[in-house]
Amino acid sequence: MVATVTLEPAGRCRWDEPVRITVRGLAPGQPVTLRASLRDEKGALFRAHARYCADATGLLDLERALALGGSFAGLEPMGLFWALEPEKPFWRFLKRDVQTPFAVELEVLDGHEPETQRLLGRAVHERDFLAPGVRREPVRAGRVRATLFLPPGSKPFPGILDLFGSSGGLCEYRASLLAGHGFAVLALAYFRFEDLPEHLNDVCLEYFEEAVNFMLQHPKVKGPGVGLLGFSKGGDLCLSMASFLKGITATIVINACVANTLAPLHYKDMIIPELSYDLEKYTITESGFLNFVDIWGNPLEKTNHQSLIPLEKAQGPFLFIVSMDDHNWKSEVYARIASERLQAHGKDRPQIIYYPGTGHCIDPPYFPLCRASVHAVLGQPVFHGGEPKAHSNAQADAWQQIQTFFHKHLNGKKSVRPSKL
């Protein structure tokens, strides 16, 4: 091999950290193709590639060189990561075991034509999900089924409960990465995990209250309250928790509904019914994907009033992260309804960040876009929306906004670093 691939920082780094890729030993102006590939824990292959030309000294630096085409174009130092696409259609990029890294193979191929390319150099780059010193502790306390991630150090840390959506199970990758930024984070399962209910039929808020109390009583969690982070169905659960439970200081929801969805919510002697929906109102995109954005009832219609979550009862601030190209439901409309409701009750206007060109599934930085995935029950691909470049920019910015918001309201810090958008 004639080319040397160098990565900075050298060695293993976190998935949410940028890496600088350079190639040395090329001829001046030499055309090459860079290719990235990885396999997830289930063996699914993801790939991305881009065409470049070395500079006048034979150096290729992805922080300065423009991609001339391929999976992306232009100045995209991390494009080989966020542009990864699955070989198997509709396969979502996920990290199921945060205790092992992803190994990304980077290859330098001669020329821009696939049939004439020969390998000039390669490197394997490991990207993990646990920062040095972060502890992963499974939690089986009472009814609570979760995993707690604790940063290194003897002091207590601001606590966060992290909830995902209607796919169920226990998702740890967001919590594990957040712990690397100074938070004690509880990744909380609430169905389809171990002895929890298999289906989302009836939801009892007492279960989530037990999880909040677990965090408030933990010696490594800094009080007097905790933060909530919820995506999709997990988002409306966080809104309900903030509205009815004590000890909630700040709440962030990602593409969440302002009404209770999918299953009745029980708390003590109260029941909040689920928002109405009509599956007959789905549409089909030009690509043949199911589009569910129009199946949901209007939360402001009289028949749905009881499903609305009384946000005005919450004590802490809200941050709504909204994808403008969300095709699962009308996240933009729901955020506006939440803002109007809070202000009508004399509460502060929530912080809302709108991201154009962004689909439903907002993950930490450099996670590839999931535009569509196969519905677990219907067995057909469901459209989530988004464009890869805009989605990548949004994920990087939203990740910083999440940290800034929680550091400000849980830790008393004004900012971590300025937003890039």
Side-chain angles (χ1 to χ4, degrees):
M1 296 188 189
V2 298
T4 302
V5 183
T6 304
L7 297 104
E8 300 175 23
R12 184 184 294 188
C13 70
R14 309 300 82 67
W15 184 270
D16 62 341
E17 293 179 1
V19 64
R20 184 173 187 172
I21 302 172
T22 55
V23 182
R24 292 176 171 83
L26 301 173
Q30 182 175 354
V32 293
T33 299
L34 267 62
R35 185 167 63 195
S37 61
L38 70 78
R39 290 189 181 273
D40 68 10
E41 291 101 334
K42 294 193 175 182
L45 179 64
F46 289 79
R47 281 180 172 170
H49 75 280
R51 295 183 287 274
Y52 291 94
C53 287
D55 68 13
T57 68
L59 173 69
L60 177 60
D61 182 350
L62 267 57
E63 287 196 351
R64 294 185 295 171
L66 300 179
L68 305 177
S71 302
F72 55 91
L75 186 62
E76 299 293 343
M78 292 296 291
L80 290 170
F81 297 91
W82 61 254
L84 288 164
E85 294 184 358
E87 186 178 57
K88 182 179 179 180
F90 318 123
W91 190 262
R92 186 177 176 189
F93 184 89
L94 286 175
K95 191 71 179 84
R96 295 168 176 85
D97 179 7
V98 300
Q99 298 177 93
T100 61
F102 273 140
V104 184
E105 183 180 42
L106 298 169
E107 296 176 306
V108 183
L109 303 166
D110 187 23
H112 291 166
E113 301 299 325
E115 62 272 12
T116 61
Q117 291 173 348
R118 63 187 178 92
L119 184 65
L120 300 177
R122 69 183 293 273
V124 176
H125 172 54
E126 290 191 339
R127 299 180 67 81
D128 64 19
F129 290 76
L130 286 173
V134 170
R135 301 205 316 265
R136 177 186 179 273
E137 299 183 354
V139 175
R140 306 295 183 267
R143 294 177 295 175
V144 175
R145 301 294 178 264
T147 303
L148 178 62
F149 293 91
L150 296 171
S154 57
K155 65 180 181 179
F157 299 92
I160 299 169
L161 281 78
D162 184 25
L163 280 71
F164 274 78
S166 58
S167 296
L170 180 60
C171 293
E172 299 182 353
Y173 60 85
R174 190 167 62 195
S176 64
L177 289 172
L178 269 179
H181 297 279
F183 300 100
V185 190
L186 186 75
L188 181 64
Y190 54 96
F191 79 105
R192 201 170 289 151
F193 179 73
E194 293 185 353
D195 57 351
L196 293 174
E198 180 64 21
H199 302 288
L200 198 62
N201 295 325
D202 290 283
V203 181
C204 294
L205 203 58
E206 284 86 352
Y207 172 78
F208 301 91
E209 187 173 39
E210 193 172 334
V212 170
N213 290 335
F214 169 83
M215 288 292 280
L216 291 174
Q217 295 165 11
H218 198 284
K220 299 293 289 184
V221 175
K222 175 183 177 181
V226 294
L228 303 177
L229 175 58
F231 160 67
S232 195
K233 172 58 187 176
D236 75 63
L237 284 170
C238 285
L239 295 179
S240 294
M241 294 165 68
S243 301
F244 292 108
L245 304 183
K246 296 178 181 179
I248 308 301
T249 300
T251 303
I252 300 177
V253 294
I254 303 170
N255 293 328
C257 185
V258 74
N260 179 55
T261 62
L262 298 177
L265 180 69
H266 300 256
Y267 185 54
K268 298 179 179 178
D269 57 353
M270 175 200 71
I271 300 177
I272 299 182
E274 72 269 34
L275 180 69
S276 65
Y277 62 92
D278 183 357
L279 286 175
E280 297 296 321
K281 292 184 177 180
Y282 76 85
T283 59
I284 298 178
T285 70
E286 292 181 359
S287 301
F289 303 151
L290 300 179
N291 189 339
F292 285 157
V293 73
D294 292 324
I295 72 170
W296 304 97
N298 183 350
L300 297 180
E301 289 182 354
K302 188 175 181 180
T303 54
N304 286 315
H305 273 187
Q306 287 187 319
S307 70
L308 278 167
I309 299 166
L311 303 177
E312 65 277 4
K313 294 185 177 181
Q315 298 301 310
F318 291 100
L319 168 58
F320 285 79
I321 293 174
V322 177
S323 294
M324 301 287 281
D325 195 34
D326 184 355
H327 285 264
N328 284 58
W329 51 28
K330 299 176 181 179
S331 299
E332 181 183 0
V333 174
Y334 300 153
R336 187 175 69 247
I337 292 172
S339 180
E340 292 171 353
R341 182 179 182 112
L342 286 167
Q343 292 178 81
H345 285 84
K347 298 284 188 173
D348 291 338
R349 177 185 300 177
Q351 182 181 353
I352 306 176
I353 305 176
Y354 300 99
Y355 291 111
T358 306
H360 184 66
C361 308
I362 293 186
D363 279 314
Y366 317 125
F367 268 62
L369 167 67
C370 177
R371 297 194 77 226
S373 61
V374 177
H375 193 278
V377 177
L378 301 177
Q380 293 178 264
V382 175
F383 187 51
H384 304 307
E387 294 298 331
K389 170 59 178 166
H391 196 86
S392 174
N393 288 342
Q395 289 189 151
D397 188 72
W399 190 239
Q400 188 55 54
Q401 297 285 354
I402 289 169
Q403 294 173 54
T404 299
F405 186 85
F406 279 141
H407 274 303
K408 176 182 178 181
H409 296 290
L410 300 180
N411 220 7
K413 295 182 180 179
K414 289 186 178 181
S415 181
V416 182
R417 69 178 75 134
S419 167
K420 294 183 179 179
L421 292 184

